[in-house]
Amino acid sequence: MFADLLKRLTQPATDRPLPDTDARLALAALLVRIARADEDYAAEEVHRIDRILMSRYALSPHEVIALRKEAEVLEGEAPDTVRFTRAIKDAVPYEERLAVIEALWQVALADGARDGAEDALVRMVSSMLGVTDQDSAMARQRMQSRG
């Protein structure tokens, strides 16, 4: 299953976006990658990922845990972040990509500490998604003020 998804994520862009379930899994895996960037996959980050996915996709607690578990496996198997960002960039308009950056900042800030590895990864993902540095910085500020 994951090999098929990775193959779809790496194929050249087509006129058809990825199915919703693939884009959902790509986003979940990207959130997991951000949380793991500092090599401390903290409980606060896992909880934040679950809340983001539950809210964004109207999932039950059972469904969100299953999605996150799949995403954890996929994230471990995917050699780079480009695969996830390409799927998301192709599947969603700019405003929703900005919401993705906000979600990434929520996860990166969930443990209460800014980390250079997480910051660098969010900046790289922002660029890959075509989100401006200014919009990413404003998204970070909004997420920091939310607490």
Side-chain angles (χ1 to χ4, degrees):
M1 177 181 131
F2 294 117
D4 290 340
L5 177 57
L6 284 173
K7 184 178 176 184
R8 287 192 301 273
L9 292 176
T10 58
Q11 288 176 341
T14 65
D15 291 342
R16 290 188 334 231
L18 284 175
D20 286 344
T21 54
D22 287 355
R24 180 183 301 185
L25 185 55
L27 174 59
L30 188 57
L31 293 172
V32 169
R33 180 150 291 179
I34 289 291
R36 289 178 171 170
D38 63 357
E39 299 182 20
D40 179 23
Y41 192 37
E44 297 92 353
E45 293 168 323
V46 171
H47 180 67
R48 185 65 53 99
I49 290 168
D50 289 353
R51 284 188 13 220
I52 290 167
L53 295 173
M54 194 177 298
S55 172
R56 186 173 183 95
Y57 299 114
L59 301 174
S60 71
H62 176 71
E63 291 170 323
V64 82
I65 290 169
L67 175 59
R68 179 178 36 82
K69 297 262 184 219
E70 281 185 85
E72 289 167 350
V73 172
L74 178 62
E75 187 279 332
E77 292 180 4
D80 62 45
T81 305
V82 173
R83 287 152 172 65
F84 306 131
T85 57
R86 182 180 303 143
I88 294 166
K89 186 175 182 182
D90 292 345
V92 299
Y94 186 83
E95 296 76 27
E96 290 184 40
R97 285 183 268 148
L98 189 53
V100 168
I101 298 302
E102 287 180 350
L104 296 174
W105 279 119
Q106 285 180 45
V107 172
L109 299 169
D111 59 6
R114 294 235 356 229
D115 177 82
E118 290 173 335
D119 283 0
L121 187 54
V122 174
R123 282 194 305 275
M124 181 183 78
V125 168
S126 295
S127 175
M128 290 175 164
L129 290 178
V131 173
T132 67
D133 289 340
Q134 182 180 11
D135 283 347
S136 179
M138 290 171 49
R140 185 192 73 242
Q141 290 170 353
R142 284 191 299 275
M143 296 307 102
Q144 283 178 314
S145 67
R146 273 187 173 176

